[in-house]
Amino acid sequence: MLELKNISLSNTGFSLKDISFKVNKGEYFILLGMSGAGKSMLLEMIAGLTNPDSGEILLNGKNIETSKPYEREVGLVFQDHAIFPHLTVGANIGYALKRQALSHAQKQEEIISIADRIHIGQLLNRQPSTLSGGELQRVALARTLVQKPEVLLLDEPLAAIDTKLRSEIRSLLRQLNREGQTIVHVTHDFDEAISLANRIAIIHEGKIIQTGTPEEVFASPRSEFVAHFVGIRNFFKASFTETETGCIAEIAKGLRIVSTHKSGPGEGYIMIRGEDLTLSVENYESSARNNFMGKIIEVSGSRTGIDVIVDIGVPIHVSVSKESVHSLGLAEGKSVWVHFKASAINSITK
């Protein structure tokens, strides 16, 4: 198990403050955050390339903070691959074995074994300049994995390759993890995190602000930053009044939303997913307890279909299909009704 305890570091442009998390053996753990949040610096500290100002780094209960990088049983794959341009693929992979007391034949056996495992056996005699981005990424992985690291550290491994190759590398990383490889992976892409991680830690302004499974983090963000970061647009400050069946959340003067979630009286936030809202041209009877008339202020494409922003006293985002846009005649300036169930609201109290 890898554990970071109260890691802090002050650096030009950013700082890390009391970073603590655990990565269990065999887990795929993703550090998710915006560029410049300090994610890569955390990997460098685990690998021994940078020292924290304070805190501890433990691997299987042993403090490795003072250990040399090659003694730490971790392997770091850099974002830019860091492949030696003057060496063949085979020589690049073999370079990682220099410190090991192996015969030439044993080293060749290890090189061929890992190359076959990563599906680059046919590339061993090639020069790096002749390889694609995906092939270079596989070479970088092979060079690190040949050392048999306890923990594989990945710095934005999919950032510099195209969509097709990205899918192939994702499949490879999933397979490595299924075979038992513990992985710590940093990225700014939450789609990447959803598709790969067992657990996610979100880092913002030098602090870890939420940790959990992908389902926990993306279904129940604990802050406005996390909600916006994972693509939830409807996140509002609210004043709560408790009721027998849930609560009333006032998100603007006179704009009250009914929720089945129990929230004690006070301040907090509510979150509504765009796909949990529906639109109609006229009001109608339904089980939805929240029905508001508003005016469309924007219609635009999104990753999941069409995003319609309606002003109901606050701008609210509704996810609809292209077919709905045409059948309802949705356009900027049109008056529509917005409907959503009381059970569709997630409340967060301060």
Side-chain angles (χ1 to χ4, degrees):
M1 179 178 70
L2 175 70
E3 183 175 5
L4 274 67
K5 288 185 175 182
N6 306 116
I7 293 293
S8 295
L9 175 71
S10 294
N11 210 329
T12 305
F14 75 93
S15 62
L16 296 169
K17 307 162 194 171
D18 293 324
I19 299 289
S20 296
F21 61 82
K22 294 179 181 179
V23 181
N24 297 315
K25 185 174 178 60
E27 192 167 45
Y28 202 125
F29 188 88
I30 284 188
L31 283 163
L32 178 63
M34 299 177 71
S35 297
K39 306 182 301 297
S40 296
M41 187 62 70
L42 276 171
L43 289 194
E44 291 182 9
M45 282 190 275
I46 296 169
L49 304 180
T50 303
N51 293 319
D53 294 337
S54 61
E56 293 181 295
I57 302 171
L58 308 174
L59 184 60
N60 296 326
K62 177 186 175 183
N63 192 328
I64 61 170
E65 190 186 337
T66 58
S67 301
K68 293 181 172 58
Y70 60 85
E71 296 173 337
R72 294 195 176 201
E73 297 185 273
V74 301
L76 173 58
V77 178
F78 295 95
Q79 183 177 352
D80 62 359
H81 310 129
I83 300 300
F84 298 117
H86 62 289
L87 299 179
T88 64
V89 167
N92 263 282
I93 297 171
Y95 189 86
L97 298 173
K98 278 198 166 187
R99 289 185 176 274
Q100 297 190 21
L102 300 173
S103 67
H104 177 74
Q106 288 172 321
K107 288 180 180 178
Q108 289 304 116
E109 185 178 339
E110 292 289 338
I111 291 167
I112 292 169
S113 175
I114 195 63
D116 288 342
R117 184 181 173 197
I118 304 299
H119 309 300
I120 55 170
Q122 74 282 9
L123 303 179
L124 289 176
N125 295 319
R126 294 266 297 273
Q127 295 294 326
S129 60
T130 68
L131 304 181
S132 68
E135 289 169 337
L136 286 169
Q137 188 62 274
R138 287 174 183 267
V139 174
L141 276 168
R143 187 179 60 186
T144 302
L145 290 170
V146 78
Q147 304 170 69
K148 299 181 175 62
E150 181 83 13
V151 181
L152 176 64
L153 308 174
L154 303 175
D155 186 5
E156 297 275 7
L158 308 179
I161 54 181
D162 63 34
T163 302
K164 179 178 181 298
L165 292 173
R166 195 175 299 135
S167 177
E168 293 177 2
I169 297 297
R170 278 182 184 173
S171 295
L172 173 60
L173 294 175
R174 287 191 200 99
Q175 181 61 36
L176 290 171
N177 182 239
R178 281 195 296 269
E179 292 170 359
Q181 180 65 61
T182 305
I183 298 175
V184 179
H185 171 151
V186 305
T187 182
H188 63 274
D189 186 332
F190 63 83
D191 285 334
E192 195 171 304
I194 289 173
S195 70
L196 290 168
N198 302 132
R199 280 196 308 127
I200 295 168
I202 295 184
I203 184 169
H204 178 55
E205 294 183 343
K207 296 181 179 179
I208 288 182
I209 58 174
Q210 187 168 351
T211 304
T213 66
E215 293 80 10
E216 290 167 345
V217 171
F218 294 109
S220 302
R222 295 179 190 164
S223 69
E224 185 171 6
F225 172 79
V226 176
H228 288 173
F229 190 61
V230 303
I232 297 170
R233 310 287 294 278
N234 299 318
F235 195 95
F236 306 105
K237 288 184 178 179
S239 297
F240 295 111
T241 303
E242 194 167 3
T243 67
E244 289 184 4
T245 58
C247 70
I248 302 293
E250 185 169 4
I251 62 173
K253 187 175 177 59
L255 183 58
R256 296 179 178 87
I257 289 174
V258 181
S259 172
T260 57
H261 286 251
K262 284 283 187 182
S263 295
E267 303 296 312
Y269 302 92
I270 66 165
M271 177 182 71
I272 318 165
R273 293 180 175 276
E275 55 267 33
D276 290 333
L277 290 83
T278 59
L279 294 177
S280 67
V281 176
E282 297 180 358
N283 198 11
Y284 60 86
E285 292 292 329
S286 75
S287 60
R289 297 176 64 188
N290 295 291
N291 303 280
F292 301 95
M293 190 177 185
K295 186 170 287 188
I296 295 175
I297 56 178
E298 186 176 325
V299 179
S300 61
S302 70
R303 290 186 305 111
T304 56
I306 303 296
D307 182 39
V308 180
I309 306 176
V310 184
D311 185 357
I312 63 169
V314 295
I316 194 162
H317 294 255
V318 185
S319 297
V320 302
S321 64
K322 290 181 180 179
E323 291 76 12
S324 295
V325 172
H326 294 304
S327 64
L328 296 175
L330 303 179
E332 292 178 15
K334 187 179 182 73
S335 293
V336 293
W337 284 86
V338 178
H339 314 273
F340 50 97
K341 294 182 178 182
S343 58
I345 298 160
N346 190 11
S347 305
I348 304 168
T349 54
K350 289 184 178 179

